[in-house]
Structures are given as structure tokens and as C-alpha cells.
Amino acid sequence: MTLSVTFVILATVFTVCLIASNIFVPRTWKVWSLPLQLTGGVVIFPVSYIVNDVLTEVYGYKKAHLVIWIALALSAFVALMSQLVTMLPAPMYPENQAIADSFNSLFRLVPRTTVASLLAFVVGSTLNALVMSKMKVATKGKGFCLRAIASSLVGEFMDSLVFFPIVFIGTMPFIGVVTIMLTQVVVKTLYELLILPVTSRVVKKVKEIEGIDTYDMNISYNPFKLF
């Protein structure tokens, strides 16, 4: 399997977005004067779905799904390493203890968010790529914007449906979990709508650079089949 520089760059961006969003999730924030709450992950997580759309549109489902599994594996590695760091002995100087405590309180939540992310991302990103792939074949490559929105709506809804109950049940009221889940889906979709013109240009440019436009004909959509 030959991987181009452009593909590697997109895969790297995708992976960084996933790892960063897992770290940002515990930081919740109120949406200005509205009675709504979001997580810090909403700042960067939608970018991963945009990159997923580009990967699927240009390179096809198989390569997009390979990137998803690579990102999940590296996310799990970061979660494991963060736990090892929180278990290290106390700092030599007492004045550094407050920093250590803050660090530990944040990164002790990372395994929980990573487990939730592993489950949610397999479901959400797989469905996002699958819908994008099947719609492209059905429409003979037309209507990229519609395909991008439809696939992201399906993927982000299923991702949130799995992710937020695992992360926040027990830490906030049930209605709060439902509210934050639905709010995230709406905000992420609006995010994608706003940046859709940029996404379309990126897709067009990547197709020109790579000289390919993949159609997934007669392939297996088994999410556990990497090669």
C-alpha cells in the first residue's frame, strides 16, 4: 500500500484532533447567556469529521477506516501514558505540588474519555465514512456538500449517543447529559456547515494533487477488516 505525503498529513491531523478532543472533553463551559453546556472537545473534534469526509471522498472507505484505527490506537497509547505519569512520585519542591495536582485531576479522566471515545468513534466515524462512501456511489460522485452533511449528522449523532452517557453519567443529572449530547450534535453540524466551502475546496485540491477520485465498488464495510 503506497501512502502519499498528502494522505499522511491528513491522517496526522485526524489523529491529533482525536487525541486532543479526549483531553479537552472534561472542560465543560456554558454557552454565554444560554442555558446550554458544551465540552472543550467541541472546539477541535468536528475537524476530525471534516478530515474523515476528505479521506473517504478522495481515498475511499478502506483507507479512511485504516486512519480511524490508527488514531484510536494512538489515542489509547496517550491515555495509558497519561496514567503512568499521574502515578509518578510527588515533585521535589512543595510549591510544584499544586501544578501536579491540577495535572493529575485532568489526566485521570483521560482513560474514561478514551474508552468512551474508542467505542463512540468506532461507531460514529465508521458510519460517517460508510454513509459518505455509499452515497457517493449512489449519486455517481455528485452533491458532495449534501453527502458531507448527511454523513456527519449520522456519525456525530451516533458518536454522541455512545460517548456522553459513558463520560458524564454519574457526574451530572441525566437531563444534563441528554442536553449536552444534543447540543454537541447541533453545534458540530453547524460547524461543518460553516466550514463546508473550505472542505469542498480542500477535497477538490487534494483530488488534483493525488490524481484520484475513489469509488468504493464491491468492497467490504466490515469495520474490523483493515487490509
Side-chain angles (χ1 to χ4, degrees), residues 113-167:
T113 60
T114 299
V115 169
S117 178
L118 290 172
L119 297 174
F121 212 64
V122 167
V123 175
S125 291
T126 297
L127 285 175
N128 180 80
L130 187 149
V131 171
M132 190 77 175
S133 172
K134 284 184 171 291
M135 284 186 70
K136 182 176 183 180
V137 173
T139 61
K140 295 180 173 59
K142 297 178 181 179
F144 169 76
C145 292
L146 177 61
R147 288 185 277 116
I149 295 169
S151 62
S152 293
L153 266 174
V154 172
E156 287 167 358
F157 178 78
M158 293 306 298
D159 184 284
S160 297
L161 190 64
V162 175
F163 182 79
F164 288 101
I166 295 175
V167 174

Side-chain angles (χ1 to χ4, degrees), residues 8 15 24 78 101 111 120 125 134 154 179 192 195 211 217 221:
V8 172
T15 303
F24 296 167
V78 170
D101 291 340
S125 291
K134 284 184 171 291
V154 172
T179 300
E192 174 138 354
I195 204 169
M217 308 296 291
Y221 285 99

Side-chain angles (χ1 to χ4, degrees), residues 50-189:
I50 293 168
V51 176
N52 194 1
D53 287 344
V54 175
L55 287 168
T56 307
E57 176 70 13
V58 179
Y59 302 98
Y61 176 85
K62 288 183 177 180
K63 284 190 176 180
H65 208 68
L66 175 62
V67 174
I68 291 171
W69 280 105
I70 291 172
L72 289 172
L74 292 176
S75 182
F77 174 76
V78 170
L80 176 61
M81 292 300 104
S82 68
Q83 291 316 287
L84 292 177
V85 173
T86 61
M87 295 166 63
L88 294 174
M92 180 181 296
Y93 303 105
E95 57 268 28
N96 292 334
Q97 186 59 48
I99 297 174
D101 291 340
S102 297
F103 179 93
N104 292 344
S105 65
L106 171 63
F107 281 92
R108 278 176 183 148
L109 292 174
V110 170
R112 184 172 180 176
T113 60
T114 299
V115 169
S117 178
L118 290 172
L119 297 174
F121 212 64
V122 167
V123 175
S125 291
T126 297
L127 285 175
N128 180 80
L130 187 149
V131 171
M132 190 77 175
S133 172
K134 284 184 171 291
M135 284 186 70
K136 182 176 183 180
V137 173
T139 61
K140 295 180 173 59
K142 297 178 181 179
F144 169 76
C145 292
L146 177 61
R147 288 185 277 116
I149 295 169
S151 62
S152 293
L153 266 174
V154 172
E156 287 167 358
F157 178 78
M158 293 306 298
D159 184 284
S160 297
L161 190 64
V162 175
F163 182 79
F164 288 101
I166 295 175
V167 174
F168 290 109
I169 285 291
T171 65
M172 65 172 66
F174 177 75
I175 188 64
V177 176
V178 173
T179 300
I180 197 171
M181 181 184 75
L182 294 177
T183 304
Q184 289 271 139
V185 173
V186 172
V187 170
K188 288 174 183 177
T189 303

